[in-house]
Amino acid sequence: MTATSSKHTAKKPADTRNTGPGRLLIAVYAVFAISATARAGYQILTKFSEAPLAYLLSAFAALVYVVATVSLAKPGRTWFRVSLIAVLVELVGVVVVGALSIFDAVQFPHETVWSLFGRGYAFIPLILPVLGLVWLYRRRPAPHKA
């Protein structure tokens, strides 16, 4: 078997995002999913009346992190799309909530994961979706053959 023929018969790698740097990205998303869920749960159960909007946004952020974690770990086009949507929602959420927490501090008397662009988490919530989008671009599925 020549190098040329083995190249053509070799199987294409599966449509996955959970290899190489993707594993680290998924691990960071998993940590944020767990921490945001725990934080939101605690905030909602113990002091919801103090900042309901902020705490509901914390719960929403937790849900986004869970969806991103699961979808990044799963292969296939559908999961790729779910990942893309989750990471885009995260980016928009961080930017919008970050800006609102600066300009409408009354609604955000307590911090959320996305408050002040993730300042309480070393700005990782702002950086993470950018890295996620770069990774998704690099691991995007090949176009369908006609």
Side-chain angles (χ1 to χ4, degrees):
M1 187 185 276
T2 66
T4 306
S5 64
S6 66
K7 187 162 81 171
H8 293 295
T9 59
K11 247 185 163 182
K12 244 181 116 178
D15 181 17
T16 62
R17 289 159 302 286
N18 61 359
T19 60
R23 288 184 180 164
L24 178 60
L25 187 68
I26 293 165
V28 173
Y29 269 105
V31 168
F32 271 80
I34 292 166
S35 65
T37 301
R39 180 180 186 159
Y42 173 78
Q43 291 170 328
I44 289 170
L45 290 173
T46 61
K47 42 190 177 173
F48 182 73
S49 62
E50 295 176 22
L53 177 62
Y55 298 152
L56 288 174
L57 286 170
S58 281
F60 179 71
L63 178 64
V64 170
Y65 286 124
V66 168
V67 170
T69 302
V70 171
S71 63
L72 283 165
K74 300 276 190 175
R77 290 180 176 279
T78 301
W79 287 110
F80 174 84
R81 288 185 193 109
V82 173
S83 296
L84 184 60
I85 291 166
V87 174
L88 285 170
V89 166
E90 177 195 4
L91 181 60
V92 170
V94 172
V95 171
V96 169
V97 172
L100 285 174
S101 64
I102 291 171
F103 297 114
D104 190 6
V106 172
Q107 292 296 320
F108 295 89
H110 299 232
E111 284 196 17
T112 71
V113 176
W114 293 342
S115 294
L116 304 171
F117 306 103
R119 182 180 72 179
Y121 290 85
F123 297 101
I124 293 171
L126 183 60
I127 298 165
L128 192 58
V130 174
L131 294 175
L133 289 172
V134 168
W135 182 247
L136 287 169
Y137 178 78
R138 293 187 69 196
R139 298 297 295 186
R140 66 192 180 278
H144 281 296
K145 293 180 182 177

